[in-house]
Amino acid sequence: MDKQNRSLHLNLFLASLGHHEAAWRHPASDVNGIYDFRYLERLAQKAEQAKLDSLFLADRYSTSQKAVKYGAVGCLEPLTLLSALAVVTKHIGLIATVSTSFNEPYNIARRFASLDHLSGGRAGWNIITSGTDSEAQNFNLDQIPAHHQRYERAKEFVEVALKLWDSWEEDALIKDKASGIYADNSKVHEPNHRGKHFSVRGPLNLSRSPQGRPLLVQAGSSADGKDFAAEFAEAIFTAQQTIEDARAFYADVKARIAQLGRIPEHVKILPGICPIIGESEAEAKEKEAQLHELTHPAYSLLQLSNRIGFDLSAYPLDGRLPELPATEQIAGHQSRTQLIRDLADREKLTIRELLLRLAGGRGHLTIAGTAKQVADELEQWFVSGAADGFNIMPQLTYGGLDDFLDQVVPELQRRGLFRTEYTGTKLRDHYGLPYPSNQYAASLELPST
């Protein structure tokens, strides 16, 4: 690939203390930072100063008494936090994770349209279906619905949201005080959706937002997930452990996108990468080892069991991972379970070793090295057809985020791989994506981005 015609995309996957499960125990970490808005504001502003594309916030809808004993599991609700961060930033995108399994399309369409208005066109929605019984049990369910059922609901959910975002045409607002006409009601549409999962009249009760609608992001690499992404996503957050697997995923998804008549270049594939940076590779690996020493096996085992939907507590830590159910039989996170199974098999890991391999990034690629080594890895994935950019997930936020922003980003800029200035004010500008058309207005004249 010709890197001169492409610029990679970098999102900060914001974790207040870090993505390593023991980051909260590190001497440099201030555990109060989890809920400290001024601290989170500083992180967001640092990322914006480095010209990153967006802030990316994950979300989960449950915890447990067991988990809170050893893990700093608290997190602020993403849309609430990003609405606050919208006020103290000007350019950086704001991507929130929201599940289609435990929400309603009207509320979510309205909240994201509100964030897009408040931020001047910087909102993005990371669409997930969730995958654990513990989450389902907080929403009137005994267990999580089957994998294909969740994606069936998600497809209809997004279709309804798109209708609602399009329910106001771009030029529907008149705002003529003299005539008393606020809006041309012929350009405000009632979708009157009637489907298997949802019945929604519409229209949305606020006008079309600056981006038309939020940037649509998808996180999931199962067969259902890839089909869903090919149809709807404009960015895909994924996890691969090897560049070979990443290239295969990239080629597969881009082909699916083309088969649906969409433009593959308009969908950005962004693997997660969890760096630790040192003056030397040895120093970086020592930093990682120090974090590993702070892990608690009971918590790590609980996390892994929840992630794969299989209780490992009865198995010896120094034994191999037991045979897991076939991928298609897994109700929860199919692609991540397969990744973990492949990792354990490929590297012949014991459960104890696997826990440490997953501690820094939950299955995302971890790398400990110098700033140049990290930049080399990102460049190799980018130019060889494995990624369009990355979700950056520092294993330790205190110090680790500054290391990436102050050392790796300038190195990527020197190589001509990453922007030195923003060229627009909207998230779609950062991704080089067009303003979306409106399904109710075939002749709509679209504003330039």
Side-chain angles (χ1 to χ4, degrees), residues 263-283:
I263 300 173
E265 291 75 20
H266 287 176
V267 182
K268 312 301 181 182
I269 296 179
L270 311 169
I273 184 167
C274 310
I276 291 183
I277 298 160
E279 292 297 320
S280 65
E281 182 177 357
E283 180 183 283

Side-chain angles (χ1 to χ4, degrees), residues 61-115:
Y61 294 81
S62 69
T63 188
S64 69
Q65 288 180 311
K66 291 181 180 179
V68 301
K69 183 174 183 179
Y70 298 116
V73 297
C75 63
L76 296 170
E77 193 280 317
L79 280 168
T80 305
L81 175 56
L82 290 179
S83 295
L85 291 175
V87 180
V88 296
T89 56
K90 295 181 179 179
H91 293 90
I92 197 164
L94 307 165
I95 300 175
T97 296
V98 175
S99 175
T100 58
S101 295
F102 310 127
N103 288 287
E104 289 289 323
Y106 193 94
N107 286 340
I108 297 309
R110 185 186 184 204
R111 290 169 190 165
F112 274 105
S114 297
L115 178 60

Side-chain angles (χ1 to χ4, degrees), residues 23-30 294:
W24 72 275
R25 296 188 63 197
H26 193 278
S29 292
D30 179 359
L294 297 174

Side-chain angles (χ1 to χ4, degrees), residues 106 109 159-173 183-194 200-208 437-444:
Y106 193 94
E159 288 171 347
V160 176
L162 290 169
K163 291 177 181 178
L164 291 168
W165 288 319
D166 285 349
S167 62
W168 289 68
E169 294 185 30
E170 183 65 33
D171 56 350
L173 289 180
D184 181 348
N185 62 340
S186 70
K187 295 186 177 183
V188 181
H189 307 274
E190 294 183 0
N192 287 310
H193 177 90
R194 298 291 184 273
V200 181
R201 186 195 68 186
L204 204 60
N205 62 348
L206 71 167
S207 61
R208 194 163 173 84
S437 61
N438 187 312
Q439 60 190 291
Y440 298 113
S443 61
L444 178 63

Side-chain angles (χ1 to χ4, degrees), residues 301-332:
L301 193 65
L302 177 64
Q303 293 292 94
L304 177 56
S305 296
N306 288 338
R307 196 162 291 125
I308 65 177
F310 188 91
D311 186 2
L312 295 170
S313 60
Y315 294 87
L317 288 178
D318 294 313
R320 297 292 300 277
L321 194 68
E323 187 69 25
L324 300 178
T327 299
E328 60 273 11
Q329 296 175 346
I330 296 170

